């Protein structure tokens, strides 16, 4: 079995494990929307998702040993394929047409990136100054994306994807440096980069947990797209990895990135909870008579107040002169004359 095939198989199994972890995180976020980090530490569901993420990460590390970043990272898009129907199944609903369309567009775009990304097994590593520089730039970028403001879910998802992608790039450095047998197994470089890997992996996990409070499809799509982009940028810029096909390959990669971004945009327009949530909201609005701002329910007009007689006449000097009282109608009996 070739190294590239081993990398693909390990990446596929890793993607399924990551999908299960993402669904577990999203369901936990939906049940406990205001829970902080300390509250999650006491939750069994949280630790179940951590175990799934750890298993997926180990498989991912194995894949990075046999395949380049530009090959392994785009295969993480299969996490989206597994997670969207898995999450809908556990929520007791069907996957909507918009969710299928957004997922398909994202996968087609990442598939185009994958075509241009195949390469030999990695043999280059980041130097200590390069690893520190990457970590510093990434920390600044994550801080900017995680600041308070509008649409925190997608920004936190972007930060999570960047953190995970950088962690993967640093993990490849640790894996190659520790197994090339040209130096000590636990050198200062390996230990230092391993600490950075742990920091970015934990940060990506916590950021994804907050991102999933707004639903699963769109945040997971953003994570899936930001992860390979960040890792591939490091691989091409610092590790000597190249896209295949020359200028045509670059154009195909750009087109694939644009198509994947379109798919993410489609998924962002799906309301949290899927189409069932929007349908329930519309039904609730119709049942409550809600309409445009300022509108009131239309119904039969209220009858005008009964007029019982002329209003009393108020005379200056605080003297109120009552008006004539209405004549009372009494039934006519024998011996009574009808008044003229």
């Amino acid at each position: 079995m070739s190294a590239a095939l081993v990398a693909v198989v390990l990446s596929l199994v890793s993607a399924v494990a990551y999908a299960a972890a993402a669904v577990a995180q999203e369901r936990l976020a939906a049940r406990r929307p205001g829970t902080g980090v300390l509250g999650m530490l006491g939750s069994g569901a949280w630790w179940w998702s951590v175990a799934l993420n750890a298993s997926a990460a180990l498989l991912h590390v194995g894949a990075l040993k046999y395949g380049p970043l530009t090959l392994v990272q785009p295969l993480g898009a299969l996490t989206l394929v597994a997670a969207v129907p898995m999450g809908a199944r556990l929520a007791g609903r069907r996957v909507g047409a918009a969710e299928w369309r957004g997922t398909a567009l994202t996968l087609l775009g990442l598939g185009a990136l994958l075509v241009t990304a195949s390469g030999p097994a990695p043999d280059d590593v980041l130097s200590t100054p390069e690893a520190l520089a990457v970590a510093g730039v990434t920390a600044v970028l994550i801080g900017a994306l995680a600041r308070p403001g509008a649409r925190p879910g997608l920004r936190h998802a972007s930060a999570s994807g960047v953190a995970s992608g950088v962690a993967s790039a640093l993990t490849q450095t640790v894996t190659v440096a520790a197994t090339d047998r040209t130096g000590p197994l636990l050198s200062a470089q390996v230990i230092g980069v391993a600490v950075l890997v742990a920091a970015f992996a934990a940060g990506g996990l916590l950021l994804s947990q907050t991102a999933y409070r707004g639903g699963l499809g769109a945040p997971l799509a953003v994570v899936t797209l930001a992860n390979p982009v960040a890792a591939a940028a490091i691989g091409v810029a610092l590790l000597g990895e190249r896209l295949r096909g020359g200028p045509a390959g670059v154009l195909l990669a750009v087109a694939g990135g644009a198509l994947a971004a379109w798919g993410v945009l489609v998924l962002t327009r799906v309301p949290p909870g899927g189409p069932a949530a929007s349908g329930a909201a519309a039904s609730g609005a119709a049942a409550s008579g809600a309409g445009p701002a300022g509108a009131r329910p239309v119904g039969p007009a209220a009858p005008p107040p009964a007029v019982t007689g002329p209003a009393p006449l108020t005379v200056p000097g605080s003297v109120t002169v009552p008006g004539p009282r209405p004549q009372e109608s009494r039934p006519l009996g024998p011996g009574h004359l009808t008044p003229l």
Side-chain angles (χ1 to χ4, degrees), residues 265-283:
L265 181 61
V266 172
L267 286 171
T268 60
R269 295 175 178 174
V270 179
S278 60
S283 300

